[in-house]
Amino acid sequence: MKITVIGTGYVGLVTGACLSEMGNQVVCLDHDPARIATLQQGGIPIHEPGLEDVVRRNAQAGRLRFTTDGADAVAHGGILFIAVGTPPQEDGSADLQQVLAAAQTIGEHMAGYKLIVNKSTVPVGTAQQVRRTVSLALAARGHGADFSVVSNPEFLKEGSAVQDFMRPDRVIVGSDDERATALMRTLYAPFMRNRERLIEMDVPSAEFTKYAANAMLATRISFMNELALLAEKLGADIESVRIGIGSDPRIGTHFLYAGAGYGGSCFPKDVRALIQTADDAGQPLQILRAVQAVNQHQKQVLIDKIVARFGPQLQGRRFALWGLAFKPGTDDMREAPSLAVIEQLLARGADVVAYDPQAMAQARAALGERARLRFAPHANAALQDADALVIVTEWKEFRSPDFAHLAATLKHPVVFDGRNLFEPDTLRSAGLEYYPIGRAAVAPTCHHPC
């Protein structure tokens, strides 16, 4: 099949690459010349495990190419995916400018039937706006080409997006057009060989499903984070609680880990957008407002622990910080908890030496040049002359450090763990003070700055 994907961010690039992997002829369109040039030269503008190999293999085979030419891209595809950004506006609602600009481009250049697929995360009613935009562009040209608009929300996790696309747990298709539905079934058939995963529904329900899914996952995270703070007060261990409730099949084990709060391009944005949609509809979502508030507070928890240990004024203190990306497996810094932690440490006068396996360049761009912020070439280098270690992202390489080296290198053998990577008894036996989330801390030997 001939497919065009508009947008080469996480969703667009993964979609285009994976569809070409199945033998389709794919053109990816983006209006950023630098990004397209990088892709044409064999580079990848984002970090996503496995994606570079898929892109390179299919580009070399001639099944995947990249362009800034809207007319060429629209002419190529019988199926056109809109996979552009929908950043939050000031009120939290999704900004649809890029989506509607893509629809405008399609309407200005199409000549014959096109199936337009909304892959971007968009509020209910966006398909109607896309349909109206294309129709107006066609009318301005005096053209009567036929087209369909369907919703096909993405459910890709950064860090495993290629695997998620190639082996989906579900494919949602919102459609009111039999021809469009049949084309979508044909397109996704290679991904369904062992069992059917395509779920048909009406367009508004498909648009709503994406927001509902992310809102539920964000709710689970905030729920566990709030319980973790209570567990600390009661002397309970949130990890034991997690295992206990996760063994109930009605609850399950996913997204029950307490930590320093969620970030990324999806959960914060989509929770805000759904809250705004509900307010506009006159049906406020009280639970989601609490989810949002809990998450904002959770990004303060590590700082509260640091202040309790070292005092509110941190001038002259240096902190090693492991983990910058909002989650492991990606270089995405959007709304990463590390940003809040670093900003507050710097505001209190501390120095910060940070390290991340993938997100260093993105962190530099997000934080800018700061007099008391440096980036280390590797994890152990960040420890030199540091008073304590702060862990914010649970990269695999942080899971089994040399605890004796940690204790010997840090000025004060103190670890603040925002992801509960370690067992408290292990660190106690290594001579380390340990402050996890929702678990018993390895008590310090003194209660004032040592």
Side-chain angles (χ1 to χ4, degrees), residues 99-163:
V99 171
L100 298 181
Q104 181 71 25
T105 297
I106 294 169
E108 288 175 350
H109 298 293
M110 63 181 285
Y113 177 78
K114 301 289 183 182
L115 170 55
I116 303 169
V117 183
N118 267 341
K119 197 72 173 172
S120 301
T121 299
V122 294
V124 174
T126 301
Q128 294 178 3
Q129 294 188 56
V130 168
R131 190 176 289 112
R132 186 181 310 115
T133 300
V134 174
S135 295
L136 290 173
L138 286 170
R141 296 168 53 204
H143 205 295
D146 191 18
F147 68 94
S148 304
V149 179
V150 303
S151 174
N152 176 219
E154 55 86 13
F155 298 96
L156 307 177
K157 300 183 294 294
E158 291 185 33
S160 60
V162 172
Q163 181 178 346

Side-chain angles (χ1 to χ4, degrees), residues 4-206:
T4 293
V5 179
I6 303 176
T8 59
Y10 276 98
V11 175
L13 190 54
V14 171
T15 297
C18 291
L19 288 174
S20 68
E21 181 81 347
M22 290 299 182
N24 298 294
Q25 298 293 318
V26 180
V27 170
C28 290
L29 170 68
D30 202 295
H31 295 301
D32 183 344
R35 179 176 283 259
I36 290 298
T38 296
L39 290 163
Q40 289 174 337
Q41 293 163 13
I44 299 290
I46 58 176
H47 173 74
E48 182 61 43
L51 181 59
E52 185 173 2
D53 289 342
V54 178
V55 169
R56 182 181 295 114
R57 179 166 57 250
N58 287 282
Q60 290 175 349
R63 292 188 296 269
L64 178 64
R65 64 184 178 88
F66 305 94
T67 185
T68 58
D69 186 336
D72 170 53
V74 173
H76 168 84
I79 301 176
L80 298 99
F81 282 84
I82 297 177
V84 296
T86 55
Q89 302 188 90
E90 287 188 10
D91 64 359
S93 61
D95 186 341
L96 299 180
Q97 290 186 64
Q98 295 180 61
V99 171
L100 298 181
Q104 181 71 25
T105 297
I106 294 169
E108 288 175 350
H109 298 293
M110 63 181 285
Y113 177 78
K114 301 289 183 182
L115 170 55
I116 303 169
V117 183
N118 267 341
K119 197 72 173 172
S120 301
T121 299
V122 294
V124 174
T126 301
Q128 294 178 3
Q129 294 188 56
V130 168
R131 190 176 289 112
R132 186 181 310 115
T133 300
V134 174
S135 295
L136 290 173
L138 286 170
R141 296 168 53 204
H143 205 295
D146 191 18
F147 68 94
S148 304
V149 179
V150 303
S151 174
N152 176 219
E154 55 86 13
F155 298 96
L156 307 177
K157 300 183 294 294
E158 291 185 33
S160 60
V162 172
Q163 181 178 346
D164 289 346
F165 197 102
M166 299 300 289
R167 298 180 178 180
D169 49 26
R170 79 281 205 195
V171 173
I172 303 293
V173 174
S175 174
D176 54 11
D177 183 315
E178 291 184 4
R179 179 181 183 182
T181 302
L183 280 171
M184 293 297 285
R185 283 198 168 278
T186 300
L187 177 64
Y188 279 110
F191 302 92
M192 310 282 167
R193 295 198 66 183
N194 62 344
R195 68 179 177 87
E196 179 62 45
R197 298 181 181 87
L198 192 144
I199 302 170
E200 296 178 34
M201 59 184 68
D202 59 89
V203 175
S205 295

Side-chain angles (χ1 to χ4, degrees), residues 269-302:
K269 172 178 70 70
D270 293 353
V271 167
R272 285 196 294 267
L274 189 52
I275 288 172
Q276 186 60 44
T277 295
D279 288 347
D280 292 344
Q283 188 64 45
L285 296 174
Q286 297 179 43
I287 290 176
L288 274 196
R289 287 194 178 278
V291 166
Q292 187 179 49
V294 167
N295 192 59
Q296 288 303 112
H297 177 263
Q298 200 68 19
K299 294 181 180 182
Q300 177 70 33
V301 168
L302 278 175

Side-chain angles (χ1 to χ4, degrees), residues 170-444:
R170 79 281 205 195
V171 173
I172 303 293
V173 174
S175 174
D176 54 11
D177 183 315
E178 291 184 4
R179 179 181 183 182
T181 302
L183 280 171
M184 293 297 285
R185 283 198 168 278
T186 300
L187 177 64
Y188 279 110
F191 302 92
M192 310 282 167
R193 295 198 66 183
N194 62 344
R195 68 179 177 87
E196 179 62 45
R197 298 181 181 87
L198 192 144
I199 302 170
E200 296 178 34
M201 59 184 68
D202 59 89
V203 175
S205 295
E207 292 171 330
F208 192 24
T209 295
K210 168 62 176 179
Y211 282 106
N214 279 353
M216 172 58 77
L217 296 175
T219 299
R220 286 171 68 93
I221 294 170
S222 282
F223 177 71
M224 287 303 290
N225 281 335
E226 197 160 44
L227 289 186
L229 301 185
L230 178 59
E232 289 187 16
K233 300 288 188 182
L234 300 178
D237 187 323
I238 197 63
E239 286 298 296
S240 296
V241 174
R242 176 184 64 80
I243 294 168
I245 66 174
S247 63
D248 186 329
R250 296 170 299 175
I251 297 174
T253 59
H254 297 297
F255 288 84
L256 288 184
Y257 291 88
Y262 61 75
S265 62
C266 294
F267 288 2
K269 172 178 70 70
D270 293 353
V271 167
R272 285 196 294 267
L274 189 52
I275 288 172
Q276 186 60 44
T277 295
D279 288 347
D280 292 344
Q283 188 64 45
L285 296 174
Q286 297 179 43
I287 290 176
L288 274 196
R289 287 194 178 278
V291 166
Q292 187 179 49
V294 167
N295 192 59
Q296 288 303 112
H297 177 263
Q298 200 68 19
K299 294 181 180 182
Q300 177 70 33
V301 168
L302 278 175
I303 295 297
D304 292 343
K305 292 178 181 292
I306 292 169
V307 167
R309 172 60 178 82
F310 286 107
Q313 301 305 316
L314 299 175
Q315 289 88 349
R317 300 287 187 187
R318 175 178 292 178
F319 293 90
L321 189 141
W322 286 0
L324 292 162
F326 86 92
K327 63 178 284 189
T330 181
D331 59 357
D332 197 339
M333 287 294 299
R334 285 174 285 186
E335 303 212 35
S338 65
L339 296 175
V341 173
I342 290 172
E343 290 286 4
Q344 292 180 68
L345 286 173
L346 295 177
R348 291 180 179 275
D351 289 3
V352 178
V353 183
Y355 167 74
D356 188 281
Q358 293 293 338
M360 303 283 268
Q362 288 72 14
R364 285 189 177 98
L367 290 159
E369 293 296 326
R370 307 291 184 95
R372 287 179 281 104
L373 172 64
R374 293 193 296 107
F375 297 91
H378 53 81
N380 281 338
L383 303 175
Q384 298 300 319
D385 299 319
D387 289 276
L389 169 63
V390 183
I391 301 173
V392 188
T393 311
E394 64 274 32
W395 287 94
K396 289 180 181 178
E397 70 177 77
F398 302 154
R399 293 182 182 179
S400 299
D402 183 337
F403 292 118
H405 177 73
L406 277 179
T409 305
L410 294 169
K411 289 182 179 179
H412 303 278
V414 181
V415 176
F416 299 95
D417 185 358
R419 298 298 172 186
N420 288 350
L421 291 185
F422 314 124
E423 287 300 319
D425 287 345
T426 301
L427 275 78
R428 177 183 288 110
S429 64
L432 288 157
E433 296 180 27
Y434 183 53
Y435 298 90
I437 306 289
R439 311 191 74 186
V442 173

